Amino acid sequence: MFAVIKTGGRQYRVVPDDVLEVGKIEGEVGSIIQLNEVLLVGGDTPVLGIPTVAGASVAVEVLDHKRGPKVIAFKKRRRKNSRRKRGYRDEITVLRISEILTDGAKPTKGPRPKREKVAKEPAKEADAA
């Protein structure tokens, strides 16, 4: 099953367990939020929304908030000593699709537990030398 969602003026085709970067969405890292603008729910019998599918939503887990790559707009007018340099970085939210819901259902899955980092043990060969 897949869905086409709209967020931040863009459309994304998503399936469960996809990770995608979208424009900034309010939400704490590790929380589950619902995106209600579902344009299409596909599968054996696709359902096309006019403009959105009634009762359909996509549950997503917020993984991270970060900033995108730097974009520099540089304008120069030759022989006039006129230069303008302007930089910009977009705010990005990283999401993981947890489930695609239909008929007004609520999310059943919670956020995934975080992996704990395992500390590496010092090498024993270096101590013997």
PDB file of all heavy atoms in Angstrom, residues 65-94:
ATOM      1  N   HIS A  65      15.241  17.477  13.253  1.00  0.00           N
ATOM      2  CA  HIS A  65      15.088  18.799  12.655  1.00  0.00           C
ATOM      3  C   HIS A  65      16.491  19.255  12.297  1.00  0.00           C
ATOM      4  O   HIS A  65      17.389  19.205  13.134  1.00  0.00           O
ATOM      5  CB  HIS A  65      14.469  19.798  13.637  1.00  0.00           C
ATOM      6  CG  HIS A  65      13.058  19.479  14.005  1.00  0.00           C
ATOM      7  ND1 HIS A  65      12.013  19.579  13.122  1.00  0.00           N
ATOM      8  CD2 HIS A  65      12.508  19.053  15.162  1.00  0.00           C
ATOM      9  CE1 HIS A  65      10.895  19.252  13.718  1.00  0.00           C
ATOM     10  NE2 HIS A  65      11.164  18.914  14.957  1.00  0.00           N
ATOM     11  N   LYS A  66      16.687  19.699  11.066  1.00  0.00           N
ATOM     12  CA  LYS A  66      18.010  20.144  10.650  1.00  0.00           C
ATOM     13  C   LYS A  66      17.874  21.211   9.591  1.00  0.00           C
ATOM     14  O   LYS A  66      16.765  21.618   9.239  1.00  0.00           O
ATOM     15  CB  LYS A  66      18.843  18.964  10.145  1.00  0.00           C
ATOM     16  CG  LYS A  66      18.321  18.299   8.892  1.00  0.00           C
ATOM     17  CD  LYS A  66      19.213  17.148   8.493  1.00  0.00           C
ATOM     18  CE  LYS A  66      18.821  16.607   7.128  1.00  0.00           C
ATOM     19  NZ  LYS A  66      19.736  15.572   6.686  1.00  0.00           N
ATOM     20  N   ARG A  67      18.994  21.677   9.099  1.00  0.00           N
ATOM     21  CA  ARG A  67      19.016  22.693   8.055  1.00  0.00           C
ATOM     22  C   ARG A  67      19.620  22.098   6.793  1.00  0.00           C
ATOM     23  O   ARG A  67      20.525  21.280   6.849  1.00  0.00           O
ATOM     24  CB  ARG A  67      19.816  23.906   8.517  1.00  0.00           C
ATOM     25  CG  ARG A  67      19.181  24.544   9.750  1.00  0.00           C
ATOM     26  CD  ARG A  67      19.943  25.722  10.225  1.00  0.00           C
ATOM     27  NE  ARG A  67      19.681  26.845   9.340  1.00  0.00           N
ATOM     28  CZ  ARG A  67      20.396  27.959   9.330  1.00  0.00           C
ATOM     29  NH1 ARG A  67      21.414  28.099  10.142  1.00  0.00           N
ATOM     30  NH2 ARG A  67      20.102  28.941   8.523  1.00  0.00           N
ATOM     31  N   GLY A  68      19.101  22.532   5.661  1.00  0.00           N
ATOM     32  CA  GLY A  68      19.536  22.008   4.378  1.00  0.00           C
ATOM     33  C   GLY A  68      20.854  22.606   3.931  1.00  0.00           C
ATOM     34  O   GLY A  68      21.502  23.364   4.657  1.00  0.00           O
ATOM     35  N   PRO A  69      21.264  22.299   2.718  1.00  0.00           N
ATOM     36  CA  PRO A  69      22.523  22.842   2.202  1.00  0.00           C
ATOM     37  C   PRO A  69      22.426  24.338   1.956  1.00  0.00           C
ATOM     38  O   PRO A  69      21.345  24.884   1.728  1.00  0.00           O
ATOM     39  CB  PRO A  69      22.721  22.082   0.888  1.00  0.00           C
ATOM     40  CG  PRO A  69      21.362  21.663   0.493  1.00  0.00           C
ATOM     41  CD  PRO A  69      20.609  21.424   1.766  1.00  0.00           C
ATOM     42  N   LYS A  70      23.567  24.997   1.998  1.00  0.00           N
ATOM     43  CA  LYS A  70      23.603  26.436   1.803  1.00  0.00           C
ATOM     44  C   LYS A  70      23.433  26.768   0.325  1.00  0.00           C
ATOM     45  O   LYS A  70      24.074  26.183  -0.540  1.00  0.00           O
ATOM     46  CB  LYS A  70      24.924  27.003   2.306  1.00  0.00           C
ATOM     47  CG  LYS A  70      24.988  28.521   2.260  1.00  0.00           C
ATOM     48  CD  LYS A  70      26.301  29.034   2.769  1.00  0.00           C
ATOM     49  CE  LYS A  70      26.376  28.869   4.265  1.00  0.00           C
ATOM     50  NZ  LYS A  70      27.562  29.528   4.824  1.00  0.00           N
ATOM     51  N   VAL A  71      22.541  27.716   0.056  1.00  0.00           N
ATOM     52  CA  VAL A  71      22.306  28.207  -1.292  1.00  0.00           C
ATOM     53  C   VAL A  71      22.760  29.655  -1.312  1.00  0.00           C
ATOM     54  O   VAL A  71      22.331  30.458  -0.487  1.00  0.00           O
ATOM     55  CB  VAL A  71      20.814  28.115  -1.675  1.00  0.00           C
ATOM     56  CG1 VAL A  71      20.581  28.672  -3.057  1.00  0.00           C
ATOM     57  CG2 VAL A  71      20.344  26.676  -1.595  1.00  0.00           C
ATOM     58  N   ILE A  72      23.645  30.000  -2.232  1.00  0.00           N
ATOM     59  CA  ILE A  72      24.181  31.363  -2.308  1.00  0.00           C
ATOM     60  C   ILE A  72      23.668  32.023  -3.580  1.00  0.00           C
ATOM     61  O   ILE A  72      23.832  31.479  -4.677  1.00  0.00           O
ATOM     62  CB  ILE A  72      25.714  31.358  -2.278  1.00  0.00           C
ATOM     63  CG1 ILE A  72      26.198  30.792  -0.949  1.00  0.00           C
ATOM     64  CG2 ILE A  72      26.260  32.760  -2.513  1.00  0.00           C
ATOM     65  CD1 ILE A  72      27.678  30.644  -0.847  1.00  0.00           C
ATOM     66  N   ALA A  73      23.051  33.194  -3.420  1.00  0.00           N
ATOM     67  CA  ALA A  73      22.609  33.998  -4.559  1.00  0.00           C
ATOM     68  C   ALA A  73      23.592  35.156  -4.682  1.00  0.00           C
ATOM     69  O   ALA A  73      23.667  36.008  -3.805  1.00  0.00           O
ATOM     70  CB  ALA A  73      21.198  34.511  -4.330  1.00  0.00           C
ATOM     71  N   PHE A  74      24.364  35.170  -5.755  1.00  0.00           N
ATOM     72  CA  PHE A  74      25.383  36.200  -5.959  1.00  0.00           C
ATOM     73  C   PHE A  74      25.048  36.965  -7.228  1.00  0.00           C
ATOM     74  O   PHE A  74      24.873  36.382  -8.289  1.00  0.00           O
ATOM     75  CB  PHE A  74      26.771  35.564  -6.075  1.00  0.00           C
ATOM     76  CG  PHE A  74      27.875  36.556  -6.209  1.00  0.00           C
ATOM     77  CD1 PHE A  74      28.318  37.265  -5.105  1.00  0.00           C
ATOM     78  CD2 PHE A  74      28.466  36.789  -7.437  1.00  0.00           C
ATOM     79  CE1 PHE A  74      29.345  38.181  -5.219  1.00  0.00           C
ATOM     80  CE2 PHE A  74      29.491  37.710  -7.564  1.00  0.00           C
ATOM     81  CZ  PHE A  74      29.928  38.408  -6.453  1.00  0.00           C
ATOM     82  N   LYS A  75      24.926  38.273  -7.096  1.00  0.00           N
ATOM     83  CA  LYS A  75      24.627  39.127  -8.247  1.00  0.00           C
ATOM     84  C   LYS A  75      25.769  40.111  -8.421  1.00  0.00           C
ATOM     85  O   LYS A  75      26.221  40.715  -7.455  1.00  0.00           O
ATOM     86  CB  LYS A  75      23.330  39.890  -8.030  1.00  0.00           C
ATOM     87  CG  LYS A  75      22.131  38.995  -7.913  1.00  0.00           C
ATOM     88  CD  LYS A  75      20.876  39.785  -7.708  1.00  0.00           C
ATOM     89  CE  LYS A  75      19.696  38.850  -7.555  1.00  0.00           C
ATOM     90  NZ  LYS A  75      18.457  39.592  -7.359  1.00  0.00           N
ATOM     91  N   LYS A  76      26.221  40.269  -9.646  1.00  0.00           N
ATOM     92  CA  LYS A  76      27.309  41.201  -9.939  1.00  0.00           C
ATOM     93  C   LYS A  76      26.977  41.952 -11.215  1.00  0.00           C
ATOM     94  O   LYS A  76      26.579  41.354 -12.208  1.00  0.00           O
ATOM     95  CB  LYS A  76      28.623  40.449 -10.125  1.00  0.00           C
ATOM     96  CG  LYS A  76      29.799  41.353 -10.402  1.00  0.00           C
ATOM     97  CD  LYS A  76      31.071  40.543 -10.465  1.00  0.00           C
ATOM     98  CE  LYS A  76      32.285  41.401 -10.461  1.00  0.00           C
ATOM     99  NZ  LYS A  76      32.558  42.130 -11.644  1.00  0.00           N
ATOM    100  N   ARG A  77      27.134  43.246 -11.153  1.00  0.00           N
ATOM    101  CA  ARG A  77      26.975  44.075 -12.346  1.00  0.00           C
ATOM    102  C   ARG A  77      28.375  44.541 -12.741  1.00  0.00           C
ATOM    103  O   ARG A  77      29.017  45.272 -11.978  1.00  0.00           O
ATOM    104  CB  ARG A  77      26.057  45.255 -12.048  1.00  0.00           C
ATOM    105  CG  ARG A  77      24.639  44.809 -11.766  1.00  0.00           C
ATOM    106  CD  ARG A  77      23.776  45.939 -11.250  1.00  0.00           C
ATOM    107  NE  ARG A  77      22.531  45.418 -10.707  1.00  0.00           N
ATOM    108  CZ  ARG A  77      22.370  45.053  -9.435  1.00  0.00           C
ATOM    109  NH1 ARG A  77      23.358  45.136  -8.577  1.00  0.00           N
ATOM    110  NH2 ARG A  77      21.209  44.596  -9.044  1.00  0.00           N
ATOM    111  N   ARG A  78      28.825  44.101 -13.866  1.00  0.00           N
ATOM    112  CA  ARG A  78      30.211  44.356 -14.244  1.00  0.00           C
ATOM    113  C   ARG A  78      30.465  45.849 -14.478  1.00  0.00           C
ATOM    114  O   ARG A  78      29.595  46.583 -14.922  1.00  0.00           O
ATOM    115  CB  ARG A  78      30.580  43.540 -15.480  1.00  0.00           C
ATOM    116  CG  ARG A  78      29.759  43.853 -16.677  1.00  0.00           C
ATOM    117  CD  ARG A  78      30.079  42.894 -17.782  1.00  0.00           C
ATOM    118  NE  ARG A  78      29.304  43.266 -18.961  1.00  0.00           N
ATOM    119  CZ  ARG A  78      29.641  42.942 -20.175  1.00  0.00           C
ATOM    120  NH1 ARG A  78      30.745  42.262 -20.390  1.00  0.00           N
ATOM    121  NH2 ARG A  78      28.889  43.315 -21.182  1.00  0.00           N
ATOM    122  N   ARG A  79      31.674  46.225 -14.157  1.00  0.00           N
ATOM    123  CA  ARG A  79      32.188  47.586 -14.335  1.00  0.00           C
ATOM    124  C   ARG A  79      31.422  48.646 -13.540  1.00  0.00           C
ATOM    125  O   ARG A  79      31.548  49.817 -13.789  1.00  0.00           O
ATOM    126  CB  ARG A  79      32.196  47.978 -15.817  1.00  0.00           C
ATOM    127  CG  ARG A  79      33.149  47.157 -16.661  1.00  0.00           C
ATOM    128  CD  ARG A  79      33.226  47.684 -18.075  1.00  0.00           C
ATOM    129  NE  ARG A  79      31.977  47.593 -18.773  1.00  0.00           N
ATOM    130  CZ  ARG A  79      31.579  46.555 -19.491  1.00  0.00           C
ATOM    131  NH1 ARG A  79      32.357  45.488 -19.575  1.00  0.00           N
ATOM    132  NH2 ARG A  79      30.445  46.577 -20.130  1.00  0.00           N
ATOM    133  N   LYS A  80      30.625  48.229 -12.550  1.00  0.00           N
ATOM    134  CA  LYS A  80      29.873  49.204 -11.774  1.00  0.00           C
ATOM    135  C   LYS A  80      30.184  49.084 -10.274  1.00  0.00           C
ATOM    136  O   LYS A  80      29.567  49.763  -9.469  1.00  0.00           O
ATOM    137  CB  LYS A  80      28.378  49.037 -12.001  1.00  0.00           C
ATOM    138  CG  LYS A  80      27.941  49.413 -13.404  1.00  0.00           C
ATOM    139  CD  LYS A  80      26.463  49.244 -13.554  1.00  0.00           C
ATOM    140  CE  LYS A  80      25.913  49.672 -14.878  1.00  0.00           C
ATOM    141  NZ  LYS A  80      26.734  49.541 -16.019  1.00  0.00           N
ATOM    142  N   ASN A  81      31.099  48.202  -9.904  1.00  0.00           N
ATOM    143  CA  ASN A  81      31.450  47.955  -8.505  1.00  0.00           C
ATOM    144  C   ASN A  81      30.197  47.651  -7.685  1.00  0.00           C
ATOM    145  O   ASN A  81      30.039  48.130  -6.577  1.00  0.00           O
ATOM    146  CB  ASN A  81      32.221  49.152  -7.917  1.00  0.00           C
ATOM    147  CG  ASN A  81      32.952  48.766  -6.648  1.00  0.00           C
ATOM    148  OD1 ASN A  81      33.192  47.590  -6.417  1.00  0.00           O
ATOM    149  ND2 ASN A  81      33.288  49.736  -5.830  1.00  0.00           N
ATOM    150  N   SER A  82      29.313  46.856  -8.257  1.00  0.00           N
ATOM    151  CA  SER A  82      28.061  46.507  -7.592  1.00  0.00           C
ATOM    152  C   SER A  82      28.003  44.996  -7.417  1.00  0.00           C
ATOM    153  O   SER A  82      28.001  44.254  -8.401  1.00  0.00           O
ATOM    154  CB  SER A  82      26.883  46.986  -8.451  1.00  0.00           C
ATOM    155  OG  SER A  82      25.681  46.520  -7.908  1.00  0.00           O
ATOM    156  N   ARG A  83      27.979  44.538  -6.166  1.00  0.00           N
ATOM    157  CA  ARG A  83      27.918  43.108  -5.860  1.00  0.00           C
ATOM    158  C   ARG A  83      26.973  42.885  -4.703  1.00  0.00           C
ATOM    159  O   ARG A  83      26.962  43.656  -3.748  1.00  0.00           O
ATOM    160  CB  ARG A  83      29.298  42.586  -5.465  1.00  0.00           C
ATOM    161  CG  ARG A  83      30.237  42.498  -6.609  1.00  0.00           C
ATOM    162  CD  ARG A  83      31.540  41.929  -6.143  1.00  0.00           C
ATOM    163  NE  ARG A  83      32.567  42.890  -6.521  1.00  0.00           N
ATOM    164  CZ  ARG A  83      33.659  43.103  -5.828  1.00  0.00           C
ATOM    165  NH1 ARG A  83      33.886  42.459  -4.723  1.00  0.00           N
ATOM    166  NH2 ARG A  83      34.543  43.972  -6.241  1.00  0.00           N
ATOM    167  N   ARG A  84      26.192  41.818  -4.767  1.00  0.00           N
ATOM    168  CA  ARG A  84      25.320  41.428  -3.675  1.00  0.00           C
ATOM    169  C   ARG A  84      25.479  39.929  -3.461  1.00  0.00           C
ATOM    170  O   ARG A  84      25.309  39.147  -4.392  1.00  0.00           O
ATOM    171  CB  ARG A  84      23.853  41.725  -3.984  1.00  0.00           C
ATOM    172  CG  ARG A  84      23.524  43.187  -4.078  1.00  0.00           C
ATOM    173  CD  ARG A  84      23.584  43.840  -2.702  1.00  0.00           C
ATOM    174  NE  ARG A  84      23.351  45.264  -2.799  1.00  0.00           N
ATOM    175  CZ  ARG A  84      24.310  46.188  -2.846  1.00  0.00           C
ATOM    176  NH1 ARG A  84      25.584  45.814  -2.827  1.00  0.00           N
ATOM    177  NH2 ARG A  84      24.004  47.453  -2.910  1.00  0.00           N
ATOM    178  N   LYS A  85      25.754  39.540  -2.235  1.00  0.00           N
ATOM    179  CA  LYS A  85      25.881  38.130  -1.894  1.00  0.00           C
ATOM    180  C   LYS A  85      24.897  37.834  -0.767  1.00  0.00           C
ATOM    181  O   LYS A  85      24.902  38.505   0.257  1.00  0.00           O
ATOM    182  CB  LYS A  85      27.306  37.809  -1.438  1.00  0.00           C
ATOM    183  CG  LYS A  85      27.524  36.344  -1.131  1.00  0.00           C
ATOM    184  CD  LYS A  85      28.961  36.078  -0.759  1.00  0.00           C
ATOM    185  CE  LYS A  85      29.161  34.622  -0.425  1.00  0.00           C
ATOM    186  NZ  LYS A  85      30.527  34.344  -0.011  1.00  0.00           N
ATOM    187  N   ARG A  86      24.070  36.839  -1.004  1.00  0.00           N
ATOM    188  CA  ARG A  86      23.049  36.495  -0.026  1.00  0.00           C
ATOM    189  C   ARG A  86      22.984  34.986   0.100  1.00  0.00           C
ATOM    190  O   ARG A  86      22.905  34.275  -0.904  1.00  0.00           O
ATOM    191  CB  ARG A  86      21.705  37.047  -0.490  1.00  0.00           C
ATOM    192  CG  ARG A  86      20.592  36.780   0.457  1.00  0.00           C
ATOM    193  CD  ARG A  86      19.326  37.422  -0.035  1.00  0.00           C
ATOM    194  NE  ARG A  86      18.262  37.076   0.884  1.00  0.00           N
ATOM    195  CZ  ARG A  86      16.993  37.165   0.614  1.00  0.00           C
ATOM    196  NH1 ARG A  86      16.612  37.586  -0.563  1.00  0.00           N
ATOM    197  NH2 ARG A  86      16.094  36.831   1.493  1.00  0.00           N
ATOM    198  N   GLY A  87      23.001  34.479   1.320  1.00  0.00           N
ATOM    199  CA  GLY A  87      22.944  33.047   1.547  1.00  0.00           C
ATOM    200  C   GLY A  87      21.639  32.643   2.204  1.00  0.00           C
ATOM    201  O   GLY A  87      20.974  33.452   2.847  1.00  0.00           O
ATOM    202  N   TYR A  88      21.293  31.364   2.050  1.00  0.00           N
ATOM    203  CA  TYR A  88      20.048  30.863   2.596  1.00  0.00           C
ATOM    204  C   TYR A  88      20.178  29.375   2.866  1.00  0.00           C
ATOM    205  O   TYR A  88      20.768  28.641   2.082  1.00  0.00           O
ATOM    206  CB  TYR A  88      18.911  31.108   1.599  1.00  0.00           C
ATOM    207  CG  TYR A  88      17.593  30.535   2.026  1.00  0.00           C
ATOM    208  CD1 TYR A  88      16.852  31.128   3.030  1.00  0.00           C
ATOM    209  CD2 TYR A  88      17.089  29.375   1.446  1.00  0.00           C
ATOM    210  CE1 TYR A  88      15.643  30.599   3.429  1.00  0.00           C
ATOM    211  CE2 TYR A  88      15.892  28.840   1.835  1.00  0.00           C
ATOM    212  CZ  TYR A  88      15.166  29.464   2.829  1.00  0.00           C
ATOM    213  OH  TYR A  88      13.973  28.934   3.239  1.00  0.00           O
ATOM    214  N   ARG A  89      19.640  28.924   4.013  1.00  0.00           N
ATOM    215  CA  ARG A  89      19.573  27.502   4.325  1.00  0.00           C
ATOM    216  C   ARG A  89      18.148  27.175   4.733  1.00  0.00           C
ATOM    217  O   ARG A  89      17.573  27.831   5.596  1.00  0.00           O
ATOM    218  CB  ARG A  89      20.533  27.137   5.450  1.00  0.00           C
ATOM    219  CG  ARG A  89      21.987  27.254   5.040  1.00  0.00           C
ATOM    220  CD  ARG A  89      22.893  26.859   6.156  1.00  0.00           C
ATOM    221  NE  ARG A  89      22.848  25.417   6.338  1.00  0.00           N
ATOM    222  CZ  ARG A  89      23.525  24.779   7.287  1.00  0.00           C
ATOM    223  NH1 ARG A  89      24.269  25.448   8.134  1.00  0.00           N
ATOM    224  NH2 ARG A  89      23.460  23.474   7.403  1.00  0.00           N
ATOM    225  N   ASP A  90      17.586  26.154   4.124  1.00  0.00           N
ATOM    226  CA  ASP A  90      16.201  25.780   4.378  1.00  0.00           C
ATOM    227  C   ASP A  90      16.100  24.952   5.650  1.00  0.00           C
ATOM    228  O   ASP A  90      16.983  24.154   5.964  1.00  0.00           O
ATOM    229  CB  ASP A  90      15.678  24.975   3.191  1.00  0.00           C
ATOM    230  CG  ASP A  90      14.181  25.018   3.077  1.00  0.00           C
ATOM    231  OD1 ASP A  90      13.558  25.842   3.771  1.00  0.00           O
ATOM    232  OD2 ASP A  90      13.625  24.233   2.291  1.00  0.00           O
ATOM    233  N   GLU A  91      15.007  25.133   6.402  1.00  0.00           N
ATOM    234  CA  GLU A  91      14.734  24.322   7.591  1.00  0.00           C
ATOM    235  C   GLU A  91      14.077  23.017   7.126  1.00  0.00           C
ATOM    236  O   GLU A  91      13.112  23.033   6.363  1.00  0.00           O
ATOM    237  CB  GLU A  91      13.799  25.055   8.546  1.00  0.00           C
ATOM    238  CG  GLU A  91      14.346  26.373   9.052  1.00  0.00           C
ATOM    239  CD  GLU A  91      15.470  26.201  10.047  1.00  0.00           C
ATOM    240  OE1 GLU A  91      15.488  25.179  10.766  1.00  0.00           O
ATOM    241  OE2 GLU A  91      16.339  27.075  10.105  1.00  0.00           O
ATOM    242  N   ILE A  92      14.598  21.873   7.608  1.00  0.00           N
ATOM    243  CA  ILE A  92      14.144  20.563   7.145  1.00  0.00           C
ATOM    244  C   ILE A  92      13.748  19.708   8.336  1.00  0.00           C
ATOM    245  O   ILE A  92      14.387  19.758   9.390  1.00  0.00           O
ATOM    246  CB  ILE A  92      15.260  19.860   6.341  1.00  0.00           C
ATOM    247  CG1 ILE A  92      15.499  20.596   5.033  1.00  0.00           C
ATOM    248  CG2 ILE A  92      14.931  18.402   6.078  1.00  0.00           C
ATOM    249  CD1 ILE A  92      16.645  20.034   4.235  1.00  0.00           C
ATOM    250  N   THR A  93      12.696  18.922   8.162  1.00  0.00           N
ATOM    251  CA  THR A  93      12.300  17.918   9.141  1.00  0.00           C
ATOM    252  C   THR A  93      12.445  16.553   8.484  1.00  0.00           C
ATOM    253  O   THR A  93      11.962  16.334   7.373  1.00  0.00           O
ATOM    254  CB  THR A  93      10.840  18.124   9.586  1.00  0.00           C
ATOM    255  OG1 THR A  93      10.708  19.432  10.142  1.00  0.00           O
ATOM    256  CG2 THR A  93      10.435  17.106  10.624  1.00  0.00           C
ATOM    257  N   VAL A  94      13.113  15.631   9.182  1.00  0.00           N
ATOM    258  CA  VAL A  94      13.292  14.268   8.681  1.00  0.00           C
ATOM    259  C   VAL A  94      12.198  13.404   9.299  1.00  0.00           C
ATOM    260  O   VAL A  94      12.039  13.372  10.521  1.00  0.00           O
ATOM    261  CB  VAL A  94      14.683  13.715   9.030  1.00  0.00           C
ATOM    262  CG1 VAL A  94      14.865  12.311   8.483  1.00  0.00           C
ATOM    263  CG2 VAL A  94      15.766  14.636   8.509  1.00  0.00           C
TER     264      VAL A  94
END
